[in-house]
Amino acid sequence: MNVLILTGAGISAESGIPTFRDANGLWEGHAVEEVATPQGFARNPDLVHEFYNQRRRALLNPEIQPNAAHVALADFEREHLENGRGDFFLVTQNIDNLHQRAGSQNVLAMHGQLLQVRCLYSEEIFDWTGDLSVDTPHPEDPDNDSMRGCLRPNVVWFGEMPIGLTQIEKAATKADLFIAIGTSGVVYPAAGIVAQTPPHCRRIEVNLDDTPASSAFDETIRGAASVEIPKLLNHFSAM
Ligand code: OAD
């Protein structure tokens, strides 16, 4: 059985990371266009850096840990692969690193990662846990003043191309089981993955509420991810 998982902000909500849409279209008090678009960054890089600095610091707070849903997905994957039961691929829209910290191996962070930065010139990616500003030197050329401020968060902003779309489409077209967890199903192309799965694929949505995408699924489970995902994966663990 080939398994494809899509996760969204809802899976990390119980770890203490706020979701997007629960804040009425604002993202921690900011309009999305201000802090999550290339135009917003060009207009006010200080604001955008500060916004991501705050989120990076929050993610590094020791109280933020993977929850039972992240752990269940990592355990399921390990067992699924060890027993040769098929492929397993996890696509997350989240920029936190909680899946990776829980032990998930085949994770694609389609909207980028908060603990990475990217050089605006070379596109080179660096792991990053500190703050970033318009004065931050390039890590490989720290004495070159003309390279100061050339780093940006390695996250996908609105209007930019998500990461790994070809890989995602490939995994979707051969999926036997597709589970979407804690995503509002309104941001494309992630919301369109369910439509790329083949007719025989079993499609399950796990969310606290109905979403605009619910009707595309065969089953919808209403509940908290940390409770429902361990139960659901237990059901599929021998398949
Ligand atoms: P949203 O904030 O849009 O949606 C979170 C979903 O999780 C909602 O449908 C909630 O009902 C659900 N939810 C909340 N807590 C839950 C829990 N404990 N268990 C299960 N479900 C729960 O987040 P995303 O769908 O991830 O994009 O948002 C998609 C994208 O929009 C993000 O990746 C980001 C954002 O703007 C970019 O930054 C490019």
Side-chain angles (χ1 to χ4, degrees):
M1 181 176 66
N2 293 331
V3 181
L4 175 61
I5 309 282
L6 173 68
T7 65
I11 197 169
S12 294
E14 291 167 85
S15 292
I17 300 177
T19 63
F20 305 94
R21 255 137 285 274
D22 293 345
N24 286 328
L26 291 181
W27 197 353
E28 309 233 323
H30 295 282
V32 163
E33 304 77 48
E34 272 177 46
V35 293
T37 62
Q39 295 80 3
F41 184 58
R43 262 195 308 270
N44 194 345
D46 288 319
L47 173 74
V48 175
H49 279 315
E50 189 43 34
F51 175 75
Y52 286 97
N53 288 344
Q54 279 179 19
R55 305 194 73 225
R56 201 178 295 110
R57 285 184 222 135
L59 178 58
L60 292 168
N61 181 331
E63 282 178 14
I64 304 289
Q65 294 293 335
N67 64 52
H70 298 103
V71 172
L73 284 165
D75 290 347
F76 179 89
E77 175 183 18
R78 194 176 323 106
E79 229 183 79
H80 193 73
L81 297 178
E82 273 172 13
N83 291 295
R85 294 194 180 119
D87 295 344
F88 181 96
F89 193 48
L90 195 165
V91 177
T92 186
Q93 297 165 84
N94 299 340
I95 59 174
D96 64 52
N97 59 352
L98 296 182
H99 286 302
Q100 294 89 338
R101 279 165 58 186
S104 286
Q105 299 158 50
N106 295 301
V107 187
L108 175 72
M110 69 180 296
H111 290 164
Q113 297 191 53
L114 191 53
L115 299 186
Q116 288 181 344
V117 297
R118 188 165 85 234
C119 175
L120 290 168
Y121 305 120
S122 69
E123 303 277 305
E124 207 178 341
I125 292 167
F126 302 94
D127 290 334
W128 203 265
T129 51
D131 282 355
L132 207 58
S133 79
V134 292
D135 289 323
T136 304
H138 191 282
E140 289 178 345
D141 200 1
D143 297 327
N144 184 346
D145 281 347
S146 69
M147 293 293 276
R148 280 181 180 272
C150 69
L151 300 174
R152 60 163 274 184
N154 189 33
V155 299
V156 174
W157 287 325
F158 285 91
E160 295 183 324
M161 189 65 92
I163 296 160
L165 292 184
T166 308
Q167 217 182 332
I168 295 170
E169 186 179 357
K170 210 167 138 201
T173 52
K174 59 178 188 169
D176 303 307
L177 173 65
F178 174 64
I179 309 176
I181 307 164
T183 175
S184 53
V186 294
V187 173
Y188 282 79
I193 296 174
V194 63
Q196 297 177 325
T197 59
H200 78 272
C201 179
R202 193 164 163 191
R203 305 169 194 91
I204 304 175
E205 179 187 59
V206 179
N207 198 300
L208 285 178
D209 298 311
D210 275 340
T211 73
S214 294
S215 61
F217 289 82
D218 305 309
E219 288 161 58
T220 54
I221 297 173
R222 294 283 154 265
S226 69
V227 175
E228 301 303 333
I229 293 305
K231 278 198 283 187
L232 183 64
L233 293 178
N234 194 32
H235 170 75
F236 286 113
S237 63
M239 295 165 92

